[in-house]
Amino acid sequence: MDVLIPIDGTDASKRALDFAIEMVVGMGGSLHVVHYTNNQTDATEAILDDARGRLEASDVGGEPELSTLTVDVWTADRVGEEILDTVERGGFDHVVMGHHEDGIVERTVFGSAAETVLRAEAVPVTIVP
């Protein structure tokens, strides 16, 4: 099983990464961790460093991939579309994503990357709150 895990540095994405690691350790397969951003900053490196630390502390085998992809137009729907493009290009079997509770206004105005990926039904998706 090839698993894609988008991360954004939130607690929800950290929980999702930990879940994905356990899933891959238990079921076998490979893990590809991607941070989608519209602007590479020191925060980008901190997010990747945290993910590296979690991967190194785990029993996940093989060589987990860790990368950053730049998204020009920064909306949740656009990020969701980029995740779906990554799934298609990489041939991933599963996506594990974190999701935080947004209010109705935030969901209406900004949408949700997790919701975009889930509704596409391209591959099985696990949403970790």
Side-chain angles (χ1 to χ4, degrees):
M1 173 183 312
D2 294 324
V3 179
L4 175 69
I5 170 74
I7 59 170
D8 62 6
T10 61
D11 288 341
S13 82
K14 291 175 184 178
R15 287 190 301 272
L17 177 56
D18 292 341
F19 179 89
I21 289 168
E22 288 182 29
M23 188 171 92
V24 168
V25 167
M27 298 176 74
S30 64
L31 189 60
H32 187 98
V33 182
V34 180
H35 173 60
Y36 295 85
T37 185
N38 65 334
N39 187 19
Q40 300 233 1
T41 65
D42 291 341
T44 302
E45 283 307 310
I47 291 167
L48 295 175
D49 286 345
D50 178 73
R52 268 187 214 97
R54 291 171 187 272
L55 291 166
E56 289 170 1
S58 74
D59 292 331
V60 69
E63 300 266 340
E65 294 184 44
L66 188 62
S67 61
T68 302
L69 289 175
T70 301
V71 178
D72 295 330
V73 179
W74 192 252
T75 65
D77 289 340
R78 184 67 195 126
V79 172
E81 291 168 10
E82 287 290 332
I83 293 167
L84 290 168
D85 288 347
T86 303
V87 166
E88 186 175 324
R89 282 191 316 270
F92 294 99
D93 304 307
H94 199 99
V95 176
V96 176
M97 298 180 69
H99 186 277
H100 50 87
E101 295 296 322
D102 288 330
I104 189 71
V105 173
E106 289 87 354
R107 277 197 312 268
T108 302
V109 174
F110 299 113
S112 163
E115 186 175 353
T116 299
V117 173
L118 187 62
R119 287 182 186 228
E121 300 180 7
V123 294
V125 178
T126 300
I127 304 293
V128 178

